[in-house]
Amino acid sequence: MLVTGGEGQLGRELAISSGPNIECVAVARGQLDIGNPQSVARMMAELKPQVVINAAAYTAVDKAESEAAQARRVNALGPGFLAAACREQGARMIHVSTDFVFDGESSRPYSPDSPPCPIGEYGRSKLAGEVAVHGELPGALTVRTAWLYSDRGANFVKTMLSLMAG
């Protein structure tokens, strides 16, 4: 199993929790630039994974407005490159996306078939990644998540606890 974004909060947790019967290779941005199709092809050819979990992402929601090209490179183009490489090698893919593909205005929980309506560049770039993944690899699984938290790294829960501690 290949996990992209291996130095990020989600990538680290996936690698740690993969279990002893799974050979998990978690790669960081310096090892795999998912926004570069040659880098993706090289890594896929080297590792030949059966499963790829894409946990790599440009996650600076507010900065995505002023760094739209970088957000799209990582969140939209990169997942498409990974999906194409998975298709070519017969690997399965799990792509991690976000609830930011929605506008947050619904009074009911969103379902997988709810129409997306992102309101910012971050959400638009993540939605474009979903579209690219399923265009290249229709059988891929997309998981949309909201807040991530763990005991390592910066996250919403740790920030709120720190603020409450004063």
Side-chain angles (χ1 to χ4, degrees), residues 13-126:
E13 294 300 325
L14 287 168
I16 290 167
S17 64
S18 65
N21 298 327
I22 298 173
E23 181 184 351
C24 178
V25 177
V27 294
R29 183 180 346 174
Q31 298 167 289
L32 172 62
D33 174 3
I34 69 167
N36 178 323
Q38 292 80 21
S39 179
V40 170
R42 198 169 31 255
M43 183 64 66
M44 291 291 288
E46 177 185 328
L47 297 178
K48 296 180 180 39
Q50 294 175 319
V51 175
V52 173
I53 301 178
N54 181 31
Y58 177 100
T59 59
V61 175
D62 295 332
K63 284 178 78 175
E65 297 302 321
S66 61
E67 297 180 358
Q70 180 62 9
R72 292 192 78 67
R73 182 177 185 280
V74 177
N75 293 344
L77 297 176
F81 298 148
L82 283 168
C86 285
R87 179 180 36 78
E88 290 170 13
Q89 289 195 5
R92 299 197 61 183
M93 182 174 176
I94 300 169
H95 174 62
V96 180
S97 190
T98 177
D99 64 336
F100 276 78
V101 300
F102 301 113
D103 61 11
E105 297 295 322
S106 179
S107 60
R108 298 172 188 231
Y110 291 101
S111 66
D113 61 344
S114 294
C117 184
I119 58 174
E121 187 54 40
Y122 173 71
R124 286 190 292 272
S125 70
K126 292 297 283 183

